[in-house]
Amino acid sequence: MKAFLLFKDKDLDPKQILMQRERKPRAWETDEKLSLKQFLPWNEEALTKDLGLDILLSKMADGDNFLYETGKIIVLSSLTDAETILYRQGILNDCMTNEQLVRDLYRLLIDAIEKEKASHWWGLFSSPSSILHESLDKLKMFTEMLRKLRDYAEQNEEKFASEGFIKLFKTLRQELNDEYLSVIEEHFRQLEFEDGVLINAELGRGNKGTNYILNRPYEDKRNWFDRLMQKKLPGYTFEVSPRDEAGSRALYELRNQGLNLVANALAQSADHVLNFFHALRTELAFYIGCLNLRLHLAELNEQVCFPVPVKCGERMMSFTGLYDVNLALSAEKKVVSNNLHAIDKILFIITGANTGGKSTFLRSIGISQLMMQAGMFVPAESFKAEVHESIITHFKREEDTAMESGKFDEELSRMNEIVNNIKPGSIILLNESFAATNEREGSEIAKQITKALIESRIKVIFVTHQYEFAHGFFEKKMPDAIFLRAERLEDGTRSFRVLEGEPLQTSYGEDLYEKIFNQSLEKSSYQTQVQSSSKE
Amino acid sequence: MSFISILFDKKSEQLKAQNAESPPFFIDLNLDQVVDAIASKWSEYNLNPFFYLSLNTVDSIHYRHEVFKDLENELVYEHVKFFAEEMQKVKNYLKLVEKLYYQHQKEIWFLYAVEIYCETIKKFSGDLNSVQLKSRGLVSFKDYLQNYIKSKHFTSYYNEVKKLNEELAKIKYRIIIQNNSFTVQNYEPGINYSDEIEKTFQKFKQGAVKDYRIKYDSTPEYMNPIEAQILNFVAQLNSGLFSKLENFYKENAAFIDETIEVYDREIHFYIAYLEHIEKFKQSGLKFCYPVISETTPKGTGKEIYNYEGFDLALANKLNELSSVSNGKQARQTGNGKQVVCNDFYLEGEERIIVITGPNQGGKTTFARVFGQIHYLASLGCPVPGSKAQLFHFDNIFTQFERSEKVENLRGKLEDDLTRIYSILEQATSRSIIIMNEIFNSTTIQDVSFLSTRLMERILELDTLCVWVTFVDELASFNEKTVSMTSNIVPDNPALRTFKIVRRQADGLAYALAIAEKYRLTYSSLKNRIMQ
């Protein structure tokens, strides 16, 4: 039984690493095998940092670390097929329509998991019989939960329309039917071994007993041991005196050895059921995160929409009302949005005024692209874009205090790593890259890199103030290039809108200098932007 | 040729070895350390007596050389070693049988011992047939084994072992445990309940889960009283088979062939020696089979040589040090000390090596090496060195300065002289005498006088001799004496090279080096002054 809420045919976390991380909160710090990295793309750190994803993920998590981690994995592990994107959109849409019901389901799963955790007590001194009894208790509890799960499916099935949920509920109904549950309960009765145990064995090395196999007790509950004896099989019986402590202990050990395999099977079964609950919970957790995010955005009166994914290669970048979701969430205000309609474009060069909203614009495209390729809604009125092979960022690192030459070296080294990993069909967002040198050299390098990238069918969105580079491409009059500019109004103020426009020679740094030094406005660019945007 | 022994070509020598004791020169030459290092690991074979007995004839030495050379063939060695290890198992099992408490346990472990014994011998016989052997020892042992495995004695119990084992392996039974009692019955098929459980919950499986099986002490030789009781019941249910097993145990107590048992002990002389020297070989040190020269009626045959020889006891110490300190190559130890190799040769009339030179320069070690190498050669072993011709001596005598407390100088000198007198009484022209800093407890005049007298006596005997002394004039006594000196590193007189080389003992080597260091030699001074 699988959840199949994230993929039609596979699990998010087949090895249940996320559960292990949750159950052993400190172990993953030292255990490589529990590292989140194995789920994440090679450039997750750059993506998280450049696009400011922590804000988005925290709002999805609402303080729940498990939601944070599942959210992080799914947002960063972009889907590359439109079909799965639409599959998730369907499920997410169901969740949005039945928000309370879905949250109830999530609660039910959490309950089962937490109860199991609370009953976990075997440790160093465990024996097969203690493992057997504890597993039995757990399975009894789980069986109740499974019954509830099945009842939930029966009662609510009709309210859900997506392929994923319909399949899940059908599975639950069929696999957990009454007949099956009664088989389980019959086992529970027999596993008490009220009449003793029957073990088959062989002579092993040194004439020592080995291969102890416990036989299934007979269904007929009337004293089957008496019946066995009546068959008059030759046999020898030994009674251990209650005062013979060593003998009693040895007999108990022997019984334990007989129970060993059954106890193991039972404990593993309990694990399997727990893992099933957990798999379901893990996959649902992503949608709970999305529901949380939507609530936060609704509070800010920000809209979301389901994006339209277009096959990779169909050059499409078209949106209305696109805003930077992180900016909105951190400012807790509605922010400036942008529109763009770019068809058959592979190169986007964005120039214009400093702190004019270029970076914000670039980030909003990156985040929305990621959200779309995770199967989420996006922060826009409408959004239609290609599904890319991978989403890559190369942003100027302002915090670098290294000398100029070192900084440029660092930039190129990062670019080198990108080139090691990038595939055709990807999208790369560059923000003021290769500018840590003089403009001529920087422009030349930027030009060469950009040219190579677009010729490899990689969509390039490049924010730059390097006029020579931007203008150079403009002059070529390529049909598949588009030039955008941060808007600057007549009076020198910025609207933080990005519009189509030819690269201009100056970036209006002079204005900004004037503004900051002569009018002593607040220095944080985010705050400046928010103030301006709230005037709208 | 019928098989006598893998170590001795004559039965009489083998008998002598039984009571051999450590020769008196062992401690002076550090041979006690060498033998300990070789044999201690194999104490259960009691190898020491073999190392205490020099072989009487050159042919006996060659007999061992042949076996050693066969064993240097990796394949042969592997087979021999395998046999030795399996025989060890047989012995361990028999020891276990002694210790075990329950009868049915004793019987089964005895059966295992015999089984290994039979299979090993059969395999070893085949193995020896499959390789090319040249040594008289191994070839005749191979023949012995071939006859042995064909004997009725061997085949009959080998077959019985196989049959018993097969039947025991088939035994199945079942145990019913109820409260405080258990019942043992013959086997009847049932449904494996753990499979049932697994099937029932299979549908929830998401991936691999933990293994919850408790590991039980599976030491097959341990059995608790309940297990023993169950075994008793199983034996009663299968009484025919178990009484056969019982008879087998009672009737075959002495199943190990005596000749094979003796071989097993004696072959360890070779194994122990080869394994010991292997680590030195690994680090680049060399071993060789010496040519053994015997004295001729004319008194010649004392031309000897050894190149790149070294002290096996010291090498072992340095090896242990280095493996403890930094695991570097054995030649290079933690404190920078190396195993230093030295050469020596005596030609024509040369008989006596007189060693002089700075202290702590390897003089004593050199004297020991001379003795060790000769002694090891007399055991028929490969000796340290790349190439050697050594003398087949009748005895070695040593007189080493001991650093023991001396209350009475006069008493000490007297002891020395008494001891030397006794050496000269016993020594023959076929003996080797090694002396190290004797007569130190008296005045220089006394030493000169006594040494000269002693030298005359030794020359008269025509004995091979190594003599470490500070009396320079002994080094150039006559054409029968050879002077060798220890040396220092010229740039740093505090450093010794530990090289002992043939050089005139002029007492100058040391001073000269210091002079050169300060550019005070004749030629240096001339240049300096001229400028």
Side-chain angles (χ1 to χ4, degrees), chain A residues 138-202:
Chain A
K138 282 186 187 177
L139 280 169
K140 284 176 181 171
M141 181 276 287
F142 279 146
T143 306
E144 281 322 295
M145 289 307 203
L146 288 172
R147 201 186 297 279
K148 280 189 193 172
L149 197 58
R150 194 222 27 214
D151 292 348
Y152 177 97
E154 282 175 352
Q155 285 158 23
N156 301 308
E157 206 173 5
E158 286 168 9
K159 295 166 194 148
F160 290 78
S162 64
E163 187 187 345
F165 270 119
I166 288 172
K167 198 163 59 183
L168 173 65
F169 290 149
K170 191 175 162 205
T171 307
L172 292 175
R173 241 191 321 110
Q174 288 177 347
E175 294 288 340
L176 304 176
N177 59 29
D178 284 335
E179 193 189 335
Y180 174 70
L181 294 177
S182 73
V183 168
I184 293 183
E185 267 153 14
E186 175 57 22
H187 280 308
F188 291 164
R189 202 179 55 73
Q190 288 181 346
L191 283 163
E192 302 289 346
F193 295 113
E194 284 172 0
D195 300 324
V197 294
L198 175 63
I199 302 162
N200 276 348
E202 292 168 20

Side-chain angles (χ1 to χ4, degrees), chain B residues 222-382:
Chain B
Y222 171 77
M223 212 176 252
N224 68 37
I226 296 294
E227 286 174 311
Q229 187 57 50
I230 289 172
L231 179 56
N232 273 339
F233 287 160
V234 173
Q236 280 168 5
L237 288 168
N238 300 275
S239 56
L241 176 57
F242 273 84
S243 69
K244 270 192 254 171
L245 182 62
E246 190 184 345
N247 287 338
F248 185 84
Y249 173 65
K250 279 187 189 153
E251 288 161 14
N252 294 292
F255 66 94
I256 297 182
D257 181 77
E258 203 190 325
T259 305
I260 292 174
E261 202 171 10
V262 171
Y263 158 86
D264 184 44
R265 179 186 166 211
E266 291 182 344
I267 195 71
H268 280 87
F269 172 85
Y270 298 100
I271 292 176
Y273 194 80
L274 285 173
E275 291 201 355
H276 184 68
I277 67 174
E278 183 56 28
K279 53 190 173 208
F280 306 119
K281 284 182 173 175
Q282 296 280 339
S283 60
L285 293 168
K286 293 184 178 117
F287 287 84
C288 66
Y289 292 96
V291 175
I292 305 297
S293 66
E294 279 187 292
T295 180
T296 61
K298 284 179 191 167
T300 56
K302 289 180 183 167
E303 295 186 334
I304 55 168
Y305 55 82
N306 176 283
Y307 297 100
E308 299 182 70
F310 56 91
D311 181 339
L312 206 46
L314 186 62
N316 193 50
K317 248 187 226 163
L318 295 179
N319 189 310
E320 278 165 12
L321 262 181
S322 71
S323 57
V324 170
S325 65
N326 54 11
K328 268 193 194 168
Q329 268 201 320
R331 285 186 74 128
Q332 188 77 51
T333 67
N335 54 11
K337 268 192 187 166
Q338 284 190 347
V339 177
V340 174
C341 297
N342 276 304
D343 308 335
F344 63 79
Y345 64 86
L346 292 175
E347 292 172 329
E349 293 293 293
E350 294 167 353
R351 295 289 182 268
I352 298 174
I353 298 172
V354 178
I355 305 169
T356 55
N359 286 332
Q360 306 297 320
K363 290 180 294 183
T364 305
T365 299
F366 181 88
R368 283 198 184 114
V369 169
F370 188 90
Q372 279 180 15
I373 287 177
H374 272 91
Y375 185 73
L376 292 172
S378 79
L379 295 178
C381 293

